Structure formats: C-alpha cells, structure tokens
Amino acid sequence: MLPHAHITLSELQRLVKETLHERFALPVWVSAEISEVKVNYSGHCYLELVEKGGDNGVPLAQSRAVIWRTAYSRIAGYFEAETGQRLAAGIKILAKVAVNYHELYGFSLQITDIDPAYTLGDMQRQRQQTIDCLRKEGVWDMNREVGMPAVVQRIAIVSSANAAGYQDFCKEIGKSPYRFRLTLFDAFMQGAAAEESIVAALCAVADRMEEFDAVVIIRGGGSASDLNCFNAYRLCTHVAQFPLPVLTGIGHDKDTSVADMVAHTALKTPTAVAGWLVERMDTIDAWLDNAALQLRDNVLVTSRAQELRLQELSSHLLFHAKGLLRQRGMALEQMRETLAASAGNFLARQASRLGNAAELVAGRSPERILRLGFAIVRTDGKAVFSAAQVGKGDTLDIEVADGRIEGTVQYTETK
C-alpha cells in the first residue's frame, strides 16, 4: 500500500504563518476584553484577551497578546492619563495589533497601540445601560422613598476594613460627642470581585436590617475603572431596592456613579458622610434643646394660668360659700321662727285640749257628782254597787257632798 501524500507539521505551520502574514500584513484594530494581564520582570506585558457572547458570558474567542517593553510604558501611560485607570482585567479595549504565528507558541497578537476613547465610551455605555434598565424597571427612586429615621445611630458600613476611607470615616465619627453604633460588613471595594463582594455584604445587612437605621457604602478616591463597579447593574439594583436608606461616600472626583444616583443620600467622600451624620445629630440635638425650652415655657405658662384659674375658682368658691351660708342661715332663721310659731301653736292646741280635758274631768269628779245629790255608799271600806252586796243589819258608810252618814241596813231589794 502506497503511503498517502502528506506534509510535515512544520510545513503546515509554515503555510499557516505565511498565509496569516500575507492576509494580515498590516496591523488591525481589534476590540476585546482583558481577562488577564501581567507585567513580568523584564518589562513586557502579557495579556489574555477574550470576546464574550450571550448573557452567560461564555467566551466566543480567546487569544494571547503582548505589549513589548519598548512600547508598554508609552501605551499604558497614555491609557491611564486619558481614562484614569490602569490596564486591568475586565476592561474592554480597542487595540491596534499585529498578527503573529509561531511554530512552537502558536497564535498571538502584538499590541502596538490602544485607543482610550473606546474604553471610556464602553464604560459610559455600560453606565447608561444600567440607568436605562433601572428606570425601565421602576426602581430608580425606591431607596430615596425609604424613610430616613430622625435619629441615625445604628449604622451598617459596607467597606474594606483596611481602606483609608473607612479609617477616615471612623476618625471623623469619633470626634463627635454622639454615640454611634458602627457595624462593618467587610467587602472588596475595587477589582473584579468588588461587585459580587459588595452585593454579598448588602445581603448580609438585609438579613439583620432590624438592627440598623441606615447603610453606609464608603470608599476612598480612585480611578474610573476602580470605581466602575458602582455603575454595574446588579450592584445598583440592590442599592435602589434596599429596604434601609443607603448613604454613599464613594470618593468620585468628577463623575457621579449610578449607585450614588439611586442611593437615598449621596455624598462625595467618607468624611463627608460622617460629617452629614454628625450634623444630623446636631440638628436633632438642637431640636431637642429647643423642644425642652418650649416645654419648660409651656409648663410655666400653663402652671401660671392654672394658678390664676385656681385663685379665681377659690375666690368664686369663697363667694359662693358665703352666699350659700347666708342663704342657709336665713333659711335656718326662717325655720327657727316657723318652728317657734309651730311649737307655740302646738302647745296652745295641747293646752286647749288639756283645758277641755280638765273641764271634762272636773265635770265628772266625785265632789261635783255628790253636789248633784248623789252619795257614795261603802261597807267595810268598799263601795257598794249592788243591793246584793249587803244584807240586813250591815253597817253602811254613806258619803254625801257635805259630810258622812252612818246607817244600818233594814232590808234589801234587788231588781
């Protein structure tokens, strides 16, 4: 069997290399996202470029790239001066590249220039997309509509424990005479992991929301790329819909982040947030002092008014008491006079009755009856009422009006 016609691997790669160099003899502008960047000790910058597709972010293409040290400082310096950020993972760039192919190391790109305007435009596009989505979903004003307590003392802080902004915030708060209770929820505030870390910290605060009056997100100043996570949709939608009022002090020098826009209160720096909280406490303190003065004045006015009222009532009571006593005295006098007259009339009537009774008694007295011709007959000292009480020969004692007669019974006759 005859061997198939073939070429060697090196010949194949040579053909590929020649074809690529013929097709891409001149540099081309390529848009991609930096997934990895590393500057080695020699000064060369090695990058991994990707093109992501779909919502899941799975790479559609990937390639190695290099910026030689002879061009790196110029390209990186200009890019940072224009965008305010260094070349870092997660940044989209428009790079002028030369296509290379090496028989041992394969396909790669040599970057000879980067257009910073593209990166700035992409960041602005992402920022505007976040704004448009939040407005479309109707959550843009939700956190600003959350009521801010009059007294804000229990504060959840989302920041990095080692960040200078967090230290500045604590130092400024510590100068105040008020007792704030600060609870730190540590999070990465820059880099590829910042968005996820801050969202996780906010979720942790939400799980304990009854313990806090407000949430503070603070970070010191930084480049636009360092702070670009605060324009990310996922983070901003959490801030917009957070159940507690959110204060931000992210430290932007120029632009305001979307997180600032949807937060309840946005301030420029961590120190400014601390100052705002202290000033709010000053306002409440002054209000309480004023309320105490008003309360004291109102108590004095009310007490004086009630004192005058009591004096007036006392005078009225005394006046009415005297009048009542006078009326009762007059009534008692009338009753006394009525009682005296009634008693006199009663006694007169009783005297008349007694006189009548006396006349009646006098009219029926034994002496008068005897003067009318009657006599009282007694025997053995007992009055005789019946003839049957005596017999013949009994001695009778007969009392008449003017004396006594003694006799003897001769005979008796009964009816």
PDB file of all heavy atoms in Angstrom, residues 15-37:
ATOM      1  N   LEU A  15       3.009  27.148   6.350  1.00  0.00           N
ATOM      2  CA  LEU A  15       1.981  27.607   5.412  1.00  0.00           C
ATOM      3  C   LEU A  15       0.967  28.512   6.126  1.00  0.00           C
ATOM      4  O   LEU A  15       0.533  29.524   5.598  1.00  0.00           O
ATOM      5  CB  LEU A  15       1.277  26.404   4.798  1.00  0.00           C
ATOM      6  CG  LEU A  15       2.106  25.579   3.811  1.00  0.00           C
ATOM      7  CD1 LEU A  15       1.339  24.333   3.389  1.00  0.00           C
ATOM      8  CD2 LEU A  15       2.483  26.417   2.593  1.00  0.00           C
ATOM      9  N   VAL A  16       0.559  28.064   7.361  1.00  0.00           N
ATOM     10  CA  VAL A  16      -0.369  28.898   8.138  1.00  0.00           C
ATOM     11  C   VAL A  16       0.243  30.257   8.429  1.00  0.00           C
ATOM     12  O   VAL A  16      -0.400  31.300   8.293  1.00  0.00           O
ATOM     13  CB  VAL A  16      -0.762  28.183   9.453  1.00  0.00           C
ATOM     14  CG1 VAL A  16      -1.552  29.122  10.356  1.00  0.00           C
ATOM     15  CG2 VAL A  16      -1.564  26.930   9.158  1.00  0.00           C
ATOM     16  N   LYS A  17       1.511  30.257   8.810  1.00  0.00           N
ATOM     17  CA  LYS A  17       2.194  31.503   9.151  1.00  0.00           C
ATOM     18  C   LYS A  17       2.273  32.411   7.938  1.00  0.00           C
ATOM     19  O   LYS A  17       2.004  33.623   8.035  1.00  0.00           O
ATOM     20  CB  LYS A  17       3.585  31.173   9.692  1.00  0.00           C
ATOM     21  CG  LYS A  17       4.385  32.387  10.119  1.00  0.00           C
ATOM     22  CD  LYS A  17       5.716  31.949  10.718  1.00  0.00           C
ATOM     23  CE  LYS A  17       6.529  33.146  11.183  1.00  0.00           C
ATOM     24  NZ  LYS A  17       7.820  32.737  11.779  1.00  0.00           N
ATOM     25  N   GLU A  18       2.636  31.849   6.797  1.00  0.00           N
ATOM     26  CA  GLU A  18       2.758  32.656   5.585  1.00  0.00           C
ATOM     27  C   GLU A  18       1.399  33.219   5.175  1.00  0.00           C
ATOM     28  O   GLU A  18       1.285  34.385   4.795  1.00  0.00           O
ATOM     29  CB  GLU A  18       3.349  31.804   4.446  1.00  0.00           C
ATOM     30  CG  GLU A  18       4.814  31.473   4.641  1.00  0.00           C
ATOM     31  CD  GLU A  18       5.329  30.534   3.563  1.00  0.00           C
ATOM     32  OE1 GLU A  18       4.506  30.084   2.724  1.00  0.00           O
ATOM     33  OE2 GLU A  18       6.544  30.252   3.568  1.00  0.00           O
ATOM     34  N   THR A  19       0.360  32.366   5.319  1.00  0.00           N
ATOM     35  CA  THR A  19      -0.986  32.817   4.946  1.00  0.00           C
ATOM     36  C   THR A  19      -1.447  33.963   5.843  1.00  0.00           C
ATOM     37  O   THR A  19      -2.006  34.964   5.376  1.00  0.00           O
ATOM     38  CB  THR A  19      -1.980  31.648   5.051  1.00  0.00           C
ATOM     39  OG1 THR A  19      -1.533  30.585   4.193  1.00  0.00           O
ATOM     40  CG2 THR A  19      -3.368  32.085   4.632  1.00  0.00           C
ATOM     41  N   LEU A  20      -1.238  33.806   7.153  1.00  0.00           N
ATOM     42  CA  LEU A  20      -1.620  34.873   8.094  1.00  0.00           C
ATOM     43  C   LEU A  20      -0.851  36.153   7.821  1.00  0.00           C
ATOM     44  O   LEU A  20      -1.411  37.250   7.838  1.00  0.00           O
ATOM     45  CB  LEU A  20      -1.392  34.417   9.534  1.00  0.00           C
ATOM     46  CG  LEU A  20      -2.399  33.421  10.114  1.00  0.00           C
ATOM     47  CD1 LEU A  20      -1.959  32.948  11.485  1.00  0.00           C
ATOM     48  CD2 LEU A  20      -3.790  34.060  10.216  1.00  0.00           C
ATOM     49  N   HIS A  21       0.439  36.022   7.592  1.00  0.00           N
ATOM     50  CA  HIS A  21       1.254  37.225   7.374  1.00  0.00           C
ATOM     51  C   HIS A  21       0.881  37.900   6.071  1.00  0.00           C
ATOM     52  O   HIS A  21       0.949  39.126   5.957  1.00  0.00           O
ATOM     53  CB  HIS A  21       2.721  36.843   7.398  1.00  0.00           C
ATOM     54  CG  HIS A  21       3.237  36.538   8.777  1.00  0.00           C
ATOM     55  ND1 HIS A  21       4.529  36.116   9.022  1.00  0.00           N
ATOM     56  CD2 HIS A  21       2.632  36.597   9.998  1.00  0.00           C
ATOM     57  CE1 HIS A  21       4.691  35.913  10.314  1.00  0.00           C
ATOM     58  NE2 HIS A  21       3.537  36.208  10.926  1.00  0.00           N
ATOM     59  N   GLU A  22       0.495  37.087   5.063  1.00  0.00           N
ATOM     60  CA  GLU A  22       0.050  37.687   3.803  1.00  0.00           C
ATOM     61  C   GLU A  22      -1.307  38.365   3.986  1.00  0.00           C
ATOM     62  O   GLU A  22      -1.539  39.457   3.482  1.00  0.00           O
ATOM     63  CB  GLU A  22      -0.042  36.602   2.724  1.00  0.00           C
ATOM     64  CG  GLU A  22       1.314  36.107   2.238  1.00  0.00           C
ATOM     65  CD  GLU A  22       1.175  34.955   1.266  1.00  0.00           C
ATOM     66  OE1 GLU A  22       0.014  34.595   0.928  1.00  0.00           O
ATOM     67  OE2 GLU A  22       2.210  34.398   0.844  1.00  0.00           O
ATOM     68  N   ARG A  23      -2.212  37.671   4.741  1.00  0.00           N
ATOM     69  CA  ARG A  23      -3.565  38.225   4.923  1.00  0.00           C
ATOM     70  C   ARG A  23      -3.563  39.418   5.843  1.00  0.00           C
ATOM     71  O   ARG A  23      -4.316  40.370   5.645  1.00  0.00           O
ATOM     72  CB  ARG A  23      -4.466  37.118   5.501  1.00  0.00           C
ATOM     73  CG  ARG A  23      -5.869  37.567   5.846  1.00  0.00           C
ATOM     74  CD  ARG A  23      -6.630  37.965   4.594  1.00  0.00           C
ATOM     75  NE  ARG A  23      -7.974  38.395   4.911  1.00  0.00           N
ATOM     76  CZ  ARG A  23      -8.309  39.605   5.352  1.00  0.00           C
ATOM     77  NH1 ARG A  23      -7.374  40.536   5.507  1.00  0.00           N
ATOM     78  NH2 ARG A  23      -9.569  39.900   5.596  1.00  0.00           N
ATOM     79  N   PHE A  24      -2.748  39.384   6.883  1.00  0.00           N
ATOM     80  CA  PHE A  24      -2.682  40.482   7.851  1.00  0.00           C
ATOM     81  C   PHE A  24      -1.277  41.082   7.850  1.00  0.00           C
ATOM     82  O   PHE A  24      -0.574  41.071   8.859  1.00  0.00           O
ATOM     83  CB  PHE A  24      -3.040  39.964   9.252  1.00  0.00           C
ATOM     84  CG  PHE A  24      -4.440  39.417   9.353  1.00  0.00           C
ATOM     85  CD1 PHE A  24      -4.658  38.047   9.346  1.00  0.00           C
ATOM     86  CD2 PHE A  24      -5.526  40.277   9.417  1.00  0.00           C
ATOM     87  CE1 PHE A  24      -5.936  37.538   9.432  1.00  0.00           C
ATOM     88  CE2 PHE A  24      -6.811  39.759   9.517  1.00  0.00           C
ATOM     89  CZ  PHE A  24      -7.022  38.388   9.517  1.00  0.00           C
ATOM     90  N   ALA A  25      -0.912  41.585   6.683  1.00  0.00           N
ATOM     91  CA  ALA A  25       0.422  42.183   6.564  1.00  0.00           C
ATOM     92  C   ALA A  25       0.520  43.473   7.369  1.00  0.00           C
ATOM     93  O   ALA A  25       1.593  43.838   7.869  1.00  0.00           O
ATOM     94  CB  ALA A  25       0.740  42.447   5.090  1.00  0.00           C
ATOM     95  N   LEU A  26      -0.620  44.151   7.522  1.00  0.00           N
ATOM     96  CA  LEU A  26      -0.655  45.400   8.276  1.00  0.00           C
ATOM     97  C   LEU A  26      -1.403  45.198   9.589  1.00  0.00           C
ATOM     98  O   LEU A  26      -2.274  44.323   9.692  1.00  0.00           O
ATOM     99  CB  LEU A  26      -1.343  46.490   7.448  1.00  0.00           C
ATOM    100  CG  LEU A  26      -0.647  46.876   6.126  1.00  0.00           C
ATOM    101  CD1 LEU A  26      -1.495  47.878   5.359  1.00  0.00           C
ATOM    102  CD2 LEU A  26       0.743  47.449   6.399  1.00  0.00           C
ATOM    103  N   PRO A  27      -1.102  46.001  10.589  1.00  0.00           N
ATOM    104  CA  PRO A  27      -1.839  45.895  11.872  1.00  0.00           C
ATOM    105  C   PRO A  27      -3.324  46.189  11.668  1.00  0.00           C
ATOM    106  O   PRO A  27      -3.718  46.944  10.770  1.00  0.00           O
ATOM    107  CB  PRO A  27      -1.173  46.947  12.749  1.00  0.00           C
ATOM    108  CG  PRO A  27       0.178  47.166  12.151  1.00  0.00           C
ATOM    109  CD  PRO A  27       0.002  46.996  10.675  1.00  0.00           C
ATOM    110  N   VAL A  28      -4.160  45.607  12.538  1.00  0.00           N
ATOM    111  CA  VAL A  28      -5.614  45.847  12.508  1.00  0.00           C
ATOM    112  C   VAL A  28      -6.084  46.268  13.906  1.00  0.00           C
ATOM    113  O   VAL A  28      -5.458  45.932  14.913  1.00  0.00           O
ATOM    114  CB  VAL A  28      -6.376  44.587  12.045  1.00  0.00           C
ATOM    115  CG1 VAL A  28      -6.046  44.259  10.600  1.00  0.00           C
ATOM    116  CG2 VAL A  28      -6.081  43.402  12.949  1.00  0.00           C
ATOM    117  N   TRP A  29      -7.207  46.975  13.917  1.00  0.00           N
ATOM    118  CA  TRP A  29      -7.818  47.361  15.209  1.00  0.00           C
ATOM    119  C   TRP A  29      -8.801  46.274  15.632  1.00  0.00           C
ATOM    120  O   TRP A  29      -9.697  45.901  14.889  1.00  0.00           O
ATOM    121  CB  TRP A  29      -8.529  48.704  15.080  1.00  0.00           C
ATOM    122  CG  TRP A  29      -7.590  49.871  14.970  1.00  0.00           C
ATOM    123  CD1 TRP A  29      -7.172  50.472  13.823  1.00  0.00           C
ATOM    124  CD2 TRP A  29      -6.971  50.554  16.047  1.00  0.00           C
ATOM    125  NE1 TRP A  29      -6.312  51.511  14.095  1.00  0.00           N
ATOM    126  CE2 TRP A  29      -6.159  51.587  15.474  1.00  0.00           C
ATOM    127  CE3 TRP A  29      -6.959  50.412  17.433  1.00  0.00           C
ATOM    128  CZ2 TRP A  29      -5.395  52.464  16.219  1.00  0.00           C
ATOM    129  CZ3 TRP A  29      -6.204  51.298  18.183  1.00  0.00           C
ATOM    130  CH2 TRP A  29      -5.423  52.296  17.602  1.00  0.00           C
ATOM    131  N   VAL A  30      -8.615  45.779  16.850  1.00  0.00           N
ATOM    132  CA  VAL A  30      -9.428  44.680  17.381  1.00  0.00           C
ATOM    133  C   VAL A  30     -10.019  45.086  18.733  1.00  0.00           C
ATOM    134  O   VAL A  30      -9.303  45.602  19.599  1.00  0.00           O
ATOM    135  CB  VAL A  30      -8.580  43.401  17.541  1.00  0.00           C
ATOM    136  CG1 VAL A  30      -9.417  42.297  18.191  1.00  0.00           C
ATOM    137  CG2 VAL A  30      -8.048  42.945  16.195  1.00  0.00           C
ATOM    138  N   SER A  31     -11.319  44.868  18.894  1.00  0.00           N
ATOM    139  CA  SER A  31     -11.948  45.121  20.202  1.00  0.00           C
ATOM    140  C   SER A  31     -12.033  43.812  20.975  1.00  0.00           C
ATOM    141  O   SER A  31     -12.376  42.766  20.414  1.00  0.00           O
ATOM    142  CB  SER A  31     -13.347  45.712  20.025  1.00  0.00           C
ATOM    143  OG  SER A  31     -14.185  44.811  19.343  1.00  0.00           O
ATOM    144  N   ALA A  32     -11.720  43.864  22.267  1.00  0.00           N
ATOM    145  CA  ALA A  32     -11.744  42.674  23.122  1.00  0.00           C
ATOM    146  C   ALA A  32     -11.742  43.120  24.577  1.00  0.00           C
ATOM    147  O   ALA A  32     -11.534  44.298  24.894  1.00  0.00           O
ATOM    148  CB  ALA A  32     -10.550  41.776  22.836  1.00  0.00           C
ATOM    149  N   GLU A  33     -11.955  42.141  25.456  1.00  0.00           N
ATOM    150  CA  GLU A  33     -11.906  42.400  26.890  1.00  0.00           C
ATOM    151  C   GLU A  33     -10.666  41.744  27.471  1.00  0.00           C
ATOM    152  O   GLU A  33     -10.334  40.613  27.116  1.00  0.00           O
ATOM    153  CB  GLU A  33     -13.159  41.844  27.575  1.00  0.00           C
ATOM    154  CG  GLU A  33     -13.181  42.074  29.085  1.00  0.00           C
ATOM    155  CD  GLU A  33     -14.434  41.531  29.737  1.00  0.00           C
ATOM    156  OE1 GLU A  33     -15.517  41.630  29.124  1.00  0.00           O
ATOM    157  OE2 GLU A  33     -14.321  40.983  30.865  1.00  0.00           O
ATOM    158  N   ILE A  34     -10.022  42.459  28.358  1.00  0.00           N
ATOM    159  CA  ILE A  34      -8.858  41.893  29.029  1.00  0.00           C
ATOM    160  C   ILE A  34      -9.346  40.948  30.117  1.00  0.00           C
ATOM    161  O   ILE A  34     -10.093  41.352  31.014  1.00  0.00           O
ATOM    162  CB  ILE A  34      -7.978  42.994  29.639  1.00  0.00           C
ATOM    163  CG1 ILE A  34      -7.467  43.957  28.566  1.00  0.00           C
ATOM    164  CG2 ILE A  34      -6.807  42.387  30.402  1.00  0.00           C
ATOM    165  CD1 ILE A  34      -6.710  45.150  29.112  1.00  0.00           C
ATOM    166  N   SER A  35      -8.946  39.688  30.039  1.00  0.00           N
ATOM    167  CA  SER A  35      -9.310  38.740  31.086  1.00  0.00           C
ATOM    168  C   SER A  35      -8.168  38.514  32.062  1.00  0.00           C
ATOM    169  O   SER A  35      -8.378  38.073  33.195  1.00  0.00           O
ATOM    170  CB  SER A  35      -9.740  37.395  30.478  1.00  0.00           C
ATOM    171  OG  SER A  35      -8.653  36.786  29.809  1.00  0.00           O
ATOM    172  N   GLU A  36      -6.945  38.810  31.606  1.00  0.00           N
ATOM    173  CA  GLU A  36      -5.784  38.632  32.476  1.00  0.00           C
ATOM    174  C   GLU A  36      -4.662  39.523  31.970  1.00  0.00           C
ATOM    175  O   GLU A  36      -4.489  39.696  30.759  1.00  0.00           O
ATOM    176  CB  GLU A  36      -5.335  37.165  32.479  1.00  0.00           C
ATOM    177  CG  GLU A  36      -4.217  36.853  33.466  1.00  0.00           C
ATOM    178  CD  GLU A  36      -3.841  35.379  33.453  1.00  0.00           C
ATOM    179  OE1 GLU A  36      -4.686  34.555  33.055  1.00  0.00           O
ATOM    180  OE2 GLU A  36      -2.689  35.064  33.844  1.00  0.00           O
ATOM    181  N   VAL A  37      -3.920  40.129  32.875  1.00  0.00           N
ATOM    182  CA  VAL A  37      -2.802  40.978  32.497  1.00  0.00           C
ATOM    183  C   VAL A  37      -1.669  40.778  33.491  1.00  0.00           C
ATOM    184  O   VAL A  37      -1.904  40.662  34.692  1.00  0.00           O
ATOM    185  CB  VAL A  37      -3.231  42.466  32.424  1.00  0.00           C
ATOM    186  CG1 VAL A  37      -3.764  42.956  33.757  1.00  0.00           C
ATOM    187  CG2 VAL A  37      -2.079  43.346  31.966  1.00  0.00           C
TER     188      VAL A  37
END
